Amino acid sequence: MNFLPKSAWCWVLLLLSLGLPSRGGDLNKNYFVATKVGAWSEYSLTSPDGSKSAFSYQRSADDDGHPVLELGVKIIAGPGKDSKSKTGYTLPRGFNFERDGLNYGRFAEKMTMNYAGAEMAVDDKTLELIRQGTKDFKGSLTFESSEKIDGHTCDRYAYSIKIGGPAPTQETGKLWMDPSVPFGIVRQAARATDPSGKLVVEFDMRLTDTGLNQALAATAAPATPMPVKKAPEPAQVTLADGFKAGRVGMDVEAVAGSAGKRLRLVLVNKTEANLTVTVPGGEMQFEVDSPVNTLRIANAKPAQVAIPAGEKAAPLVVEQRGARGIAEGHCSLSVYEGTPLFSGSVTIGNLPK
């Protein structure tokens, strides 16, 4: 990939962040019903520093059952002005857009890049690095409200995610989603900061046009009815094991007036099967994402909590232990592929003795 200048690489990597939403990321509906073979959407992306780019997303003809996405970018103003690039992603056969669309870059099996008329396949080692550095929105989206924007009736979601790699950042932003639009996105606005809090990038991406390439659409194979799956049997897990395995999430809120001494705890079933969670009596400790880091709670008596697939349980009120903890606010805590995740807004402070 040495033929790509640094400025173009920045925009290519940004493409990975302008993802496609996923139901598994706390979205409340399927926003991909219009993302059929041949469907395309175009966007204008602007930044406060005067940079401006045009983005295009297209679902191309499948490759032997493997969905193919093509993402193009033209830099209109700023570093790399007038440069163009196109990136192709070949996804696994049967890729589930509804569930995994937002994180499509993490699933790419093959990737090609075209810049200044030269096309090349991305080697396996580089592709793995790209997959690892792709933003992961799973479990980090929070529905805020429905509103009309740019002529579309949208659902607005907020998110806050950590981005790893050699230059880690924290990105916060909002997504406006409409299932009638190919790729679902009507607008995305976000800003990212480095570990010191310094602004790294800020952008606002807005939909400008959509359509359907009829020639590509004609290549789509007729949909094969999915076999009816037998509902999974209910499962049972302890809270500690379920949380660590990513099967159980926790919505945590400081009880008003308790200064964090008491927490309202809502368990979330992150699986596609009914789940019974065993919550022991006494103290429990969970290693979670910052700023909480370690959550220490105590439950008055043991409980068995039955949670339907993908649903939330009735709240439990528990004591928060330790010298410092969540004094105010609300957050969602979970684990995805072994990585603790945090979303929400809390104040960390000294707890009453």
Side-chain angles (χ1 to χ4, degrees):
M1 295 190 194
N2 293 332
F3 63 82
L4 279 175
K6 183 177 180 182
S7 58
W9 252 115
C10 291
W11 287 113
V12 169
L13 294 176
L14 180 59
L15 278 169
L16 292 171
S17 75
L18 304 178
L20 319 175
S22 95
R23 192 167 189 161
D26 295 332
L27 297 175
N28 60 18
K29 64 182 71 166
N30 178 10
Y31 293 95
F32 286 87
V33 292
T35 311
K36 305 178 185 299
V37 172
W40 56 265
S41 293
E42 294 179 346
Y43 299 85
S44 175
L45 183 145
T46 57
S47 297
D49 64 3
S51 299
K52 184 176 181 180
S53 297
F55 283 80
S56 64
Y57 290 63
Q58 178 173 272
R59 180 171 176 186
S60 298
D62 289 355
D63 180 6
D64 191 26
H66 294 256
V68 177
L69 302 183
E70 288 191 356
L71 285 73
V73 58
K74 178 181 179 180
I75 301 177
I76 298 171
K81 182 178 182 296
D82 296 329
S83 62
K84 298 180 182 179
S85 65
K86 182 176 288 187
T87 308
Y89 298 86
T90 300
L91 304 176
R93 182 178 292 156
F95 180 75
N96 189 324
F97 281 94
E98 177 181 354
R99 186 189 64 210
D100 300 317
L102 177 59
N103 306 308
Y104 69 94
R106 299 176 67 87
F107 295 87
E109 294 183 335
K110 292 189 292 184
M111 183 175 173
T112 59
M113 300 189 69
N114 186 309
Y115 182 77
E119 181 170 311
M120 65 171 291
V122 177
D123 63 85
D124 292 342
K125 184 177 180 180
T126 303
L127 179 57
E128 179 58 27
L129 290 174
I130 292 173
R131 282 195 292 253
Q132 292 175 7
T134 300
K135 299 178 185 181
D136 189 351
F137 290 79
K138 187 174 178 61
S140 299
L141 291 164
T142 303
F143 174 77
E144 291 190 329
S145 68
S146 295
E147 60 187 16
K148 197 150 190 175
I149 179 171
D150 297 338
H152 294 267
T153 300
C154 298
D155 298 325
R156 187 182 76 234
Y157 294 85
Y159 68 87
S160 180
I161 58 172
K162 281 188 172 182
I163 306 162
T169 57
Q170 179 79 33
E171 181 173 299
T172 57
K174 295 183 187 293
L175 282 164
W176 286 262
M177 309 299 303
D178 177 359
S180 70
V181 171
F183 300 97
I185 304 172
V186 172
R187 181 185 178 191
Q188 182 181 6
R191 66 195 312 270
T193 56
D194 65 16
S196 71
K198 181 181 178 181
L199 181 65
V200 175
V201 67
E202 186 172 5
F203 64 86
D204 190 345
M205 185 182 78
R206 290 177 180 258
L207 180 71
T208 57
D209 200 6
T210 66
L212 181 68
N213 183 319
Q214 296 291 347
L216 287 176
T219 68
T224 302
M226 295 295 291
V228 177
K229 294 193 300 184
K230 183 179 178 181
E233 293 296 324
Q236 186 164 337
V237 68
T238 66
L239 177 54
D241 290 343
F243 179 78
K244 187 174 181 180
R247 301 175 70 189
V248 181
M250 297 187 289
D251 288 351
V252 182
E253 182 179 14
V255 174
S258 73
K261 187 66 175 177
R262 289 181 296 144
L263 299 177
R264 185 173 288 105
L265 180 69
V266 175
L267 303 184
V268 184
N269 184 350
K270 296 285 188 176
T271 74
E272 297 179 356
N274 297 337
L275 201 59
T276 298
V277 182
T278 301
V279 184
E283 290 195 19
M284 293 170 278
Q285 179 172 309
F286 302 89
E287 299 307 316
V288 299
D289 197 9
S290 63
V292 180
N293 297 319
T294 300
L295 179 68
R296 298 179 179 89
I297 58 176
N299 190 34
K301 58 182 180 180
Q304 296 281 331
V305 182
I307 318 175
E311 300 293 333
K312 297 183 179 182
L316 297 171
V317 176
V318 297
E319 277 194 20
Q320 187 173 199
R321 299 290 175 85
R324 290 176 60 80
I326 301 171
E328 292 181 351
H330 171 272
C331 65
S332 295
L333 304 173
S334 59
V335 174
Y336 177 62
E337 294 185 352
T339 301
L341 301 176
F342 169 95
S343 65
S345 178
V346 298
T347 299
I348 304 297
N350 295 327
L351 301 177
K353 293 182 179 179

